Amino acid sequence: MKGLKIGNLTTRVPIIQGGMGVGISLSGLASAVANEGGVGVISCAGLGLIYKEKAKTYMESCIIGLREEIQKAKQKTNGIVGVNIMMALTNFGDMVKTAIAEKADVIFAGAGLPLDLPKYRTPECTTKLVPIVSSARAAKIICEKWKTLYNYLPDLVVVEGPKAGGHLGFKLNQINDPNYAIEELIPQVVNEVAIFEEKYNQKIPVVAAGGIYTGADMHKIMQLGAQGVQIASRFVTTTECDADIKFKNTYLTASDQEVEIIQSPVGMPGRALQGKFLENVKLGLTRPKSCPYNCLHTCDYKVVPYCIILALYNAYKGNMDKGYAFAGSNAYLSTKISTVKEVIDDILEKYNLAEANQTVLA
Ligand SMILES: Cc1cc2nc3c(=O)[nH]c(=O)nc-3n(C[C@H](O)[C@H](O)[C@H](O)COP(=O)(O)O)c2cc1C
């Protein structure tokens, strides 16, 4: 199994840990994954709540929080640490500038098309830029815009399918449509970026995400042309995951029936675990009275059924009655808390087994 190339960086194992907000992947999880040879990713979402004591405003606390999390991660690992920044965040620009100033190795930008991401690069910038897309069309638009406007191409592209946790880049009716399955999307995105690779003589690896849980899943996905995988839910039930144990326990006790699709205030569908809070949302009991944070472009507190940043922050702190856990379609498969090393070793072992079986069959 080859490492993953991201510009001039090479991972030991082709596994990226998907960014998980609010607070689920901070420096603890990110540095542990980086130490095992993958890419560890800190999520920016809601850092202003986690670091609320550090500054007077939410926006200032977000900047201080991101700076501290990157520095803490770098103290714990010499491996590759990235930052996940959602386009939907009102402070997207602040977060990108902070990540670049703190020399985050990679920025992963999703939940919208990050068309102007390269404009934040400074002359001394070493941070690699990676869009997260849900279609070949999105990959094409980004490559064209970045090359034309900034003479820059993505260092890697993550294609996230409809089995992912968190916000999904699909319409409700596309989520279970086989035409939008990750197995369909991978070759489409690989073929699309190949046009730019050839034209500009630059490698753009494609990594797949969404519902990948086992080494066998990873093997199957990489047979379709992906050069690596982005995995999130499987890392929630690790010792190093930054969430409260009560958050992790919701994964351990969930059945497949309890993984549900919700309509998020971000304006996209999302996948999460059922619970009391989401029941209350359906009953209209969670309406926000004000908006102290102004964290999302797409959210109007007078219209949305609840404040998502507060709900996700509550869940991160283990207050599961006042929030809920985002989760990928296979999150219910977890049965115990393991270390990140145990998870990655298990994935690699099962990947190698699948590879060996394929060789025997061939
Ligand atoms: C708890 C949780 C929080 C997430 N938060 C974010 C986020 O803040 N930004 C983002 O781009 N993706 C987010 N995601 C999506 C993941 O980064 C990842 O791409 C996806 O979940 C992969 O599918 P998997 O969980 O089945 O492995 C989140 C996923 C989960 C499970």
Side-chain angles (χ1 to χ4, degrees):
M1 188 191 304
K2 279 202 231 130
L4 194 56
K5 277 206 182 307
I6 315 176
N8 61 356
L9 306 172
T10 308
T11 68
R12 222 164 53 235
V13 297
I15 297 177
I16 297 169
Q17 163 252 309
M20 291 181 279
V22 167
I24 314 304
S25 68
L26 299 174
S27 50
L29 179 57
S31 58
V33 174
N35 276 332
E36 294 310 314
V39 181
V41 180
I42 297 164
S43 166
C44 277
L47 282 174
L49 274 173
I50 298 167
Y51 280 83
K52 61 186 170 213
E53 313 299 344
K54 297 270 174 147
K56 286 206 178 77
T57 67
Y58 175 82
M59 295 303 171
E60 272 177 85
S61 312
C62 283
I63 295 173
I64 293 170
L66 182 55
R67 217 180 268 148
E68 281 199 19
E69 288 300 325
I70 296 172
Q71 288 170 4
K72 276 194 221 165
K74 283 182 176 273
Q75 278 159 17
K76 291 184 190 162
T77 183
N78 292 322
I80 302 175
V81 174
V83 172
N84 176 290
I85 314 177
M86 293 195 298
M87 283 296 297
L89 299 178
T90 43
N91 60 352
F92 177 81
D94 274 356
M95 295 290 89
V96 173
K97 284 183 210 159
T98 307
I100 290 176
E102 290 300 322
K103 301 199 183 309
D105 293 310
V106 192
I107 289 174
F108 296 88
L113 291 187
L115 292 180
D116 67 354
L117 183 56
K119 90 171 177 204
Y120 296 98
R121 294 183 79 249
T122 54
E124 52 290 336
C125 174
T126 51
T127 306
K128 309 295 176 289
L129 305 182
V130 173
I132 303 173
V133 301
S134 301
S135 68
R137 187 167 165 270
K140 177 177 186 216
I141 294 171
I142 290 168
C143 288
E144 271 172 2
K145 284 271 183 221
W146 285 17
K147 193 66 195 172
T148 313
L149 296 178
Y150 307 106
N151 193 25
Y152 197 90
L153 281 174
D155 293 286
L156 179 142
V157 170
V158 174
V159 51
E160 192 184 76
K163 290 191 170 177
H167 293 109
L168 306 173
F170 300 88
K171 298 198 178 86
L172 278 176
N173 65 338
Q174 295 172 338
I175 292 173
N176 294 319
D177 181 338
N179 292 316
Y180 295 90
I182 189 70
E183 290 81 359
E184 294 295 316
L185 301 181
I186 295 166
Q188 292 169 12
V189 174
V190 168
N191 289 341
E192 192 60 61
V193 302
I195 298 168
F196 293 89
E197 289 185 303
E198 204 166 301
K199 188 161 172 196
Y200 298 108
N201 193 26
Q202 183 181 324
K203 291 272 177 237
I204 311 175
V206 173
V207 161
I212 301 163
Y213 203 85
T214 65
D217 295 341
M218 176 176 173
H219 186 259
K220 189 174 118 201
I221 286 298
M222 289 179 63
Q223 295 297 300
L224 300 170
Q227 289 177 38
V229 289
Q230 174 170 294
I231 295 177
S233 297
R234 177 118 193 225
F235 288 114
V236 168
T237 48
T238 58
T239 325
E240 295 93 336
C241 167
D242 295 276
D244 188 273
I245 184 69
K246 294 195 196 85
F247 184 102
K248 300 177 190 178
N249 282 343
T250 61
Y251 271 52
L252 296 181
T253 54
S255 70
D256 58 342
Q257 301 298 313
E258 288 166 273
V259 186
E260 70 171 341
I261 297 295
I262 60 167
Q263 193 61 44
S264 150
V266 170
M268 303 162 98
R271 184 174 277 104
L273 297 183
Q274 280 171 4
K276 189 171 171 198
F277 181 82
L278 289 174
E279 284 305 314
N280 285 339
V281 169
K282 284 171 199 151
L283 296 171
L285 301 175
T286 52
R287 294 225 170 262
K289 293 187 181 65
S290 63
C291 171
Y293 313 118
N294 187 29
C295 63
L296 293 170
H297 285 300
T298 42
C299 183
D300 175 357
Y301 83 91
K302 295 187 201 94
V303 180
V304 297
Y306 60 95
C307 170
I308 185 166
I309 213 75
L310 202 55
L312 297 181
Y313 172 73
N314 288 336
Y316 148 73
K317 297 288 277 180
N319 191 351
M320 302 311 296
D321 284 351
K322 295 227 163 94
Y324 62 92
F326 273 137
S329 63
N330 280 331
Y332 71 94
L333 292 174
S334 58
T335 53
K336 61 178 189 332
I337 305 282
S338 314
T339 63
V340 164
K341 179 174 174 16
E342 284 165 345
V343 166
I344 292 188
D345 284 352
D346 181 66
I347 291 173
L348 297 182
E349 186 194 323
K350 305 288 165 30
Y351 176 100
N352 287 330
L353 210 61
E355 178 76 13
N357 282 342
Q358 190 186 47
T359 314
V360 171
L361 288 173

